[in-house]
Amino acid sequence: MAFRISSSFGLSRSAASRLGMRMTFPRLSMAARYNSTTTETITVREALNSAIDEEMEADPKVWLLGEEVAQYNGAYKVTKGLLDKYGPDRIVDTPITEMGFAGIAVGAALSGTKPICEFMTFNFAMQAIDQIINSGGKTYYMSGGQVPCPVVFRGPNGAAAGVAAQHSQDYASWYGQIPGLKVVSIFDAEDAKGLLKAAIRDPNPVIVLENELMYGTSFPLTEAMKSKDFVLPIGKAKIAREGKDITIVAHSRPVQFSLDAAEKLAKEGISAEVINLRSIRPLDIDTIIKSVKKTNHLVTVEQGFPVCGMGSEISAQIMESEAFDYLDAPVCRIAGADVPMPYARNLEDLSLPTEETIYKQVKRVLNVQ
Amino acid sequence: MFRPVSSLASTLARTSKTTALFGSKSAIRGFASASLPLRNAGSVSFTLPEDTFEGYNIDTPSREVTLTNEEAINMYTELQRVRRLEMAADASYKSKLIRGFCHLCIGQEAVPVGIEFAISKEDAVITSYRCHGFTYTRGGTPHEILAELMGRHTGISKGKGGSMHMFTPNFFGGNGIVGAQVPLGAGIAFSQKYLGKNACTINLYGDGAANQGQVFETYNMAKLWNLPVIFVCENNKYGMGTAASRAAANSEYHTRCEYIPGIKANGMDILAVRRAIEYAREHCLFGKGPIILELSTYRYGGHSMSDPGTTYRTREEVQHMRSTRDPISSFKMRLIESGVATEEQIKSIDKDAKKMVDQALAQAKQDPEPPISDLFNHVYAPGTEVPSLRGRVPEETHYFNQ
């Protein structure tokens, strides 16, 4: 089998129990896409791990803190092996105290070191959001450029599977709103390695949004990705699939749903262009504008709530750009439903975009049966 | 390990600041070296009152304090300058030269000044929004501070921070969210330890902030990781308009963490503040981990400029504190009674302090506002900006050339 999904494999029992998670697999809705017999592969988890490892090796000022990151090797095993390699001074287990340790991370960043602060999930980072935004995001400006804050906040974001309302939120648009922060959202292993390394090297505070259900997914390991200097520019989207009839913009796991929908649409003669946003802030609106001028149709896909979401922002920015004149139909936003995430599977299914949702909306926008 | 503070170093630091403002001849340094009575061989000793310190799970510091005449004069000078600075801020606010929030430390001057005379420039300080005094003692000039208050380009944060957000090397603000500076201070201490510096962090918060959960989160990690941090609860008796006893189940703030030792000191006595910080610093730098100080102090004014400060306490209470506990008057009496300075010399220092601040104020008033082009600067580090930042309307969008 080419395409491996093992979302809960990396999750320790204690973490799972803290998260209130069922130890079951998510539905396998994605089609196999990569053939591991001919291509070397790497999981998103391994890519994140190697990004941290390489940057810690290169810069002694980089250190990492978070819950279960050291002795436990990470609640999701992203930091596996790093304690053994770098020791407890640089891989620091924290108590369950998000506001406190996020503040410590920011304070350390203000004063000469470069912390990577792992949140077990971004749902828990809400306890720390004042430190992230008010202390992390604003000090450089408030100090007239005297006090930089090179901190990385990272961890899983967005919906997992069957964990109900308090553990299933997408915070892209929350952090994306804040000047002073940079925000990236990771889809595949290439994103994971290139964007996390870029985030660690960036002198500004960077939020790295990962997705739990993608950690165990394997992707091709390219020659470029093997370089210790493989970084992706923060602020550049990637055209994940070229097309000419309609543009689908997505970030994180929905990129896969969009690619799957595009594959299905292609069989019906519809050529969809899929853009993996990669960066939430800055938003690469230029790439979207260019694509819309070519396809004349735009669909946005996200797991976050629809109100004030990424789709709303993209729609507004398209309206303010020359691409508006190229649209042959209104922009269509596909998002999570405007309800707290329900637990029951049938209701959860109705709350998140799927390949099928995207497929149907594309046909509606193009007005084809 | 522990390096006593060099009074010469701090004197020099101050002298250079004075020099910058007044040219090559420093009034203070000239005064201290030329006019002081030398009959006690250049130093003076005091025994602090018995009730100066209280200890919690630790012995109290010695109450015997010796300082050179020059240090004593410099301490007095700094107290007076901080007060003059705050009085200038008060007047400027009332004449509408300063906008928004403005929190003054009149009455609390012994805290920033006493701390500075106990630490080195390598040590770090972080505090709340009541930060003008600390900004000055950490190297900010009265001109930079007043210009910042007036939103001028020459302000210490280029006019972008205002009253609550001022920074100097090893002074980390100037933080506006009550209590949020406490974890930040522990993070600074973490960096100091990580980088192997022989330094500690003075982590200040008020009696109001002391009830924030993140303060207790920080106690826990600071002790767990043995961070070189001195928690300093500046207890001015009221968190805004709420008396400490109405907000804290235990208002003995130095005893609020059973696994960290604490000292309560008279925060209206600059020598007590200095002695307590020296003692706590030694504790930290010997690797004994964090310590909590409670500095008992009092603000004469309201919480901020919009608070007259009279609805939750009596005018008599404020008047009583002013007349019996004032940190400047009481230190002045000590200097005169011990023969370190005469009444005339003190008057001369007071006059110079006023002159220094008046000049700074006059200069700040004439300074320009920040250039319009500065609106979009300092959001991101130069060379790593986002491609553009939107203004109010699309036409005002700023594009960075990368």
Side-chain angles (χ1 to χ4, degrees), chain A residues 288-310:
Chain A
I288 303 172
I289 290 170
K290 203 173 153 195
S291 179
V292 167
K293 283 163 83 172
K294 177 172 71 174
T295 66
N296 312 112
H297 298 88
L298 177 61
V299 171
T300 66
V301 192
E302 66 194 304
Q303 292 192 319
F305 298 126
V307 180
C308 306
M310 293 310 301

Side-chain angles (χ1 to χ4, degrees), chain A residues 56 59-63 65 89-90 92-113 127 130-131 134-137 139-148 178-182 202-205 234-236 281-283 320, chain B residues 126 148 156-158 160-162 165-169 171-172 174-177 179-192 194-195 197 212-214 217-218 220-222 224-225 227 374-382 384-390 394:
Chain A
M56 286 191 68
D59 186 348
K61 287 186 175 169
V62 178
W63 60 285
L65 76 166
D89 290 344
R90 295 186 70 192
V92 180
D93 272 331
T94 67
I96 299 170
T97 179
E98 277 82 9
M99 194 177 205
F101 73 70
I104 284 180
V106 172
L110 300 176
S111 55
T113 61
Q127 298 236 30
D130 170 65
Q131 291 292 1
N134 272 320
S135 304
T139 297
Y140 188 67
Y141 193 84
M142 296 192 304
S143 68
Q146 284 182 81
V147 189
I178 307 301
L181 299 179
K182 292 185 181 179
D202 200 287
N204 306 288
I234 295 174
K236 291 279 176 245
R281 183 182 186 94
L283 188 66
E320 287 179 352
Chain B
I126 185 166
E148 186 62 35
I156 198 156
S157 300
K158 299 191 171 67
K160 292 174 125 174
H165 308 298
M166 303 189 187
F167 304 79
T168 72
F171 174 57
F172 293 88
N175 293 273
I177 306 298
Q181 76 276 14
V182 178
L184 297 178
I188 295 162
F190 191 101
S191 275
Q192 289 170 326
Y194 187 95
L195 298 169
K197 289 185 179 171
Q212 284 279 20
Q214 57 186 321
E217 294 186 32
T218 308
N220 182 45
M221 282 179 283
L224 202 58
W225 301 338
L227 300 179
D374 232 18
L375 176 62
F376 295 104
N377 288 338
H378 313 123
V379 181
Y380 298 97
T384 62
E385 295 97 344
V386 299
S388 65
L389 289 168
R390 194 186 192 272

